Amino acid sequence: MSSELSQDDLDYIDSMFDMMDIDKDGSISIRELTKSMAAQGGKPRNQEIQKMFEEADMDGDGEIDWTEFLDLTKKKMKMGKTQPAETAKVVERKEFKPQKVQINVEPPKNVLDTQKKTEILKMFNRMDPNGNGFVEQGEFEEYLSSQGTHLSKERMKQLYTSILESTTLDSEMEQNGITFQDMIKYFENEEIMEDNVEIDIDPAKMENIDDIAEYFALANLTNTQLDGSSMTTLANGISRKNTVKETMKDLVSRKTIRKENLGDQSKKRWKPFASFKRRVDRKTVMSSPSGIIRDYLPGNYSTADLVKFDDLPPIKPVSTIVRGVQWIQGEDGKPSRLLLPNNFSGELETDIATSETLGYYGAFLAESTAENFTLDSRHVLQDFTYGNDYFETWVLQGAGGAALESHDFSHLDCPLTPMKKSGYFVLAKWMNDARTDIEITAFQVPTRHTIYTPGGVMHTNNYLKGTWRTMLADGPIDEGKLESKGQPFRFSFAN
């Protein structure tokens, strides 16, 4: 993809991406693209920005990632090479280094807190009387009329279209109507949208013109003289533009909306489910005691959004707690020693590796997390196959005994063989600063699922079996050899 670009080109593109990625989440939103272009002195219309954004956003997820940005920039660079040489402006790449670029970005004017989003949702539910999750144009206009607004039919249509186009639903249902996400995005971007409203100009009806720049442009094209009457007409048009803004703000802040109860609205829509029961011989064999937990409205979601169950408590893995241990730090090239109490049998509780259970120890199931990580050193990925006699011949004899270890570099460990034949990946953590109490869990990892172990997390791969794909580095390792009663010690695992 980038074979025709030099390293300088890639460095330049990388610095431009960093500059536009204002919130540093690894992707560029349309708002960030608009802000960045404005900061560079550009004044493209919203339609031009939208076209550029859609061209770059190949997967349609509403964000431009690094690969998409690279493809877009390559196209622009190729187009630039076709321009006459005398028009090309040579800019030293160092001017675009992230540390050299200063962008003063004003905070969003419409940051919506939870309360405001709740009020918008209540209004949305009232606009959607059939409860299908889409506000159709007829529903929208009927609601505005019923609330005593003074917008004309044309004004309502323009407002409806503006809200409908606030987001793009990656579905054939896009034209079914306004979604809740459309409504939220409209309120977030209200000022931007109002500054760029597209209106078909009818010379016979100057009051339709909402932008003074459009008025002057039309006046110049038609040789129309600017007189007091026409300016008054224009002022009336602008005042109606403000009316649109004030109408939406008024609708969402009315007391009737604030008094609405979201729970009641959801129960009304999902009435058959809210009190769901299945009974056999006068006995309830299935029920929904918690009622409606969440009402998913049509829109674009990530899987993480759908399964974000904030109402549930954190999951603590089953574990073995060993008290009265002693850590003796190694010196002069000798490993550290972890002395276990005489009354400890060595049997560890086992659990299944999930994002929640691993998270207790500071590790992650890589396929199920949206976290971003930094690798501070060079790492290597390769497959290791552990023979049936690996533990007995290497761990106990060749390596000098089983251990728990930690180090500054990160680990990836992914079993490629069935879970029941892959052994155990052990994680541990200290329960006190004195390092006298330790908590340990032996994890079974589902096949082709990957544990990401950040630097500093205590673990061991002594008990792995089968084939594992592992990422590691060649940095120093702080390894504590297990001892009990003056002898090398090993863990065993509860069934």
Side-chain angles (χ1 to χ4, degrees):
M1 175 172 55
S2 58
S3 57
E4 67 268 32
L5 297 178
S6 67
Q7 186 59 50
D8 285 344
D9 289 331
L10 291 173
D11 290 343
Y12 165 68
I13 294 172
D14 192 43
S15 65
M16 288 297 294
F17 183 86
D18 286 343
M19 180 184 70
M20 292 186 175
D21 182 17
I22 296 171
D23 62 6
K24 304 304 176 189
D25 65 348
S27 60
I28 299 171
S29 66
I30 192 168
R31 191 178 186 89
E32 290 174 318
L33 181 62
T34 303
K35 290 282 188 181
S36 299
M37 296 185 74
Q40 297 178 58
K43 296 182 179 180
R45 295 179 64 84
N46 270 10
Q47 294 89 339
E48 295 171 346
I49 295 176
Q50 184 69 33
K51 182 178 179 181
M52 181 189 304
F53 188 86
E54 291 176 352
E55 179 185 351
D57 183 20
M58 299 299 294
D59 60 7
D61 65 351
E63 301 282 343
I64 300 175
D65 61 25
W66 159 247
T67 303
E68 293 169 333
F69 184 77
L70 176 61
D71 288 341
L72 174 66
T73 309
K74 284 171 60 179
K75 292 179 183 178
K76 299 298 182 183
M77 292 174 71
K78 288 180 180 179
M79 292 173 60
K81 291 179 181 179
T82 64
Q83 300 298 322
E86 61 270 20
T87 64
K89 180 180 178 181
V90 178
V91 181
E92 292 185 14
R93 303 199 189 280
K94 65 180 182 180
E95 294 183 17
F96 291 90
K97 292 295 183 182
Q99 62 268 30
K100 298 293 184 180
V101 178
Q102 297 294 329
I103 303 178
N104 296 319
V105 181
E106 294 182 4
K109 295 180 180 178
N110 287 320
V111 177
L112 304 179
D113 57 21
T114 301
Q115 179 181 350
K116 181 59 67 176
K117 288 181 180 180
T118 299
E119 292 171 357
I120 294 172
L121 178 55
K122 291 177 182 178
M123 181 184 72
F124 179 88
N125 286 335
R126 296 186 68 177
M127 284 184 174
D128 178 32
N130 65 10
N132 68 351
F134 294 93
V135 176
E136 294 129 30
Q137 185 170 342
E139 293 175 329
F140 181 79
E141 294 177 0
E142 182 177 347
Y143 181 80
L144 263 62
S145 298
S146 71
Q147 297 301 306
T149 61
H150 302 288
L151 298 180
S152 67
K153 189 83 171 177
E154 182 64 25
R155 274 308 208 198
M156 288 186 189
K157 181 179 179 181
Q158 291 174 358
L159 178 57
Y160 175 84
T161 301
S162 294
I163 300 175
L164 179 67
E165 295 177 350
S166 296
T167 68
T168 301
L169 188 64
D170 189 19
S171 165
E172 60 184 15
M173 309 294 285
E174 166 67 21
Q175 296 304 315
N176 278 21
I178 293 171
T179 66
F180 175 58
Q181 293 179 356
D182 288 329
M183 195 72 74
I184 289 294
K185 186 63 69 174
Y186 172 80
F187 276 92
E188 288 178 339
N189 297 333
E190 189 174 304
E191 281 80 5
I192 296 175
M193 294 174 64
E194 289 180 357
D195 289 343
N196 296 278
V197 173
E198 285 289 320
I199 296 177
D200 296 326
I201 300 174
D202 182 357
K205 297 181 179 180
M206 296 294 287
E207 64 270 17
N208 283 343
I209 302 175
D210 291 330
D211 191 300
I212 194 166
E214 290 183 6
Y215 177 76
F216 279 101
L218 181 62
N220 289 333
L221 289 172
T222 58
N223 293 319
T224 302
Q225 184 176 359
L226 301 177
D227 55 20
S229 175
S230 60
M231 291 300 289
T232 300
T233 302
L234 174 62
N236 290 335
I238 294 176
S239 67
R240 273 201 304 277
K241 178 182 178 181
N242 291 335
T243 300
V244 172
K245 174 181 177 180
E246 295 304 321
T247 294
M248 294 305 294
K249 287 188 175 181
D250 172 62
L251 286 175
V252 79
S253 59
R254 290 187 178 184
K255 289 183 179 179
T256 53
I257 292 294
R258 292 178 177 175
K259 289 181 179 179
E260 288 277 0
N261 184 289
L262 276 182
D264 292 341
Q265 289 181 334
S266 293
K267 287 179 182 179
K268 182 178 180 181
R269 169 59 180 84
W270 299 107
K271 187 175 181 180
F273 292 86
S275 56
F276 182 84
K277 287 184 180 180
R278 281 183 175 161
R279 296 174 61 84
V280 178
D281 297 331
R282 298 183 181 181
K283 293 182 179 180
T284 299
V285 295
M286 180 181 175
S287 65
S288 176
S290 300
I292 302 303
I293 296 172
R294 183 177 175 184
D295 186 4
Y296 292 99
L297 295 166
N300 297 315
Y301 297 90
S302 68
T303 306
D305 290 332
L306 294 176
V307 300
K308 191 174 183 180
F309 304 146
D310 293 332
D311 60 308
L312 299 178
I315 296 176
K316 182 181 181 300
V318 294
S319 63
T320 299
I321 296 176
V322 187
R323 303 188 187 279
V325 305
Q326 184 179 3
W327 179 275
I328 301 176
Q329 190 65 40
E331 297 179 352
D332 301 326
K334 294 182 179 180
S336 300
R337 298 161 62 200
L338 179 57
L339 307 185
L340 299 162
N342 295 342
N343 61 354
F344 175 49
S345 68
E347 185 175 87
L348 298 182
E349 293 288 347
T350 64
D351 208 336
I352 303 298
T354 68
S355 293
E356 293 80 11
T357 55
L358 295 174
Y360 180 76
Y361 289 98
F364 302 86
L365 196 64
E367 289 81 4
S368 304
T369 182
E371 296 285 340
N372 293 319
F373 304 102
T374 299
L375 296 180
D376 294 329
S377 62
R378 194 167 182 171
H379 289 60
V380 64
L381 182 71
Q382 60 187 119
D383 294 340
F384 295 99
T385 298
Y386 299 84
N388 293 331
D389 57 351
Y390 169 76
F391 186 83
E392 298 293 337
T393 58
W394 171 252
V395 174
L396 294 183
Q397 299 178 31
L404 287 174
E405 65 180 51
S406 64
H407 38 69
D408 291 337
F409 59 85
S410 302
H411 249 259
L412 287 179
D413 294 278
C414 174
L416 305 183
T417 48
M419 183 175 72
K420 292 184 178 181
K421 298 181 180 180
S422 295
Y424 298 90
F425 190 88
V426 177
L427 289 170
K429 68 177 183 179
W430 297 109
M431 301 183 67
N432 56 10
D433 293 337
R435 293 189 173 187
T436 58
D437 299 336
I438 192 170
E439 189 168 8
I440 314 170
T441 299
F443 287 99
Q444 289 187 291
V445 186
T447 307
R448 296 283 295 274
H449 285 67
T450 310
I451 294 181
Y452 176 82
T453 309
V457 174
M458 192 160 37
H459 65 281
T460 182
N461 61 0
N462 286 170
Y463 306 93
L464 301 186
K465 297 179 180 180
T467 300
W468 287 65
R469 177 158 293 181
T470 299
M471 181 191 78
L472 71 166
D474 52 5
I477 298 174
D478 189 7
E479 186 179 45
K481 297 294 184 180
L482 306 184
E483 292 184 24
S484 181
K485 302 177 183 178
Q487 298 296 321
F489 193 77
R490 70 171 73 181
F491 293 136
S492 59
F493 307 100
N495 295 322

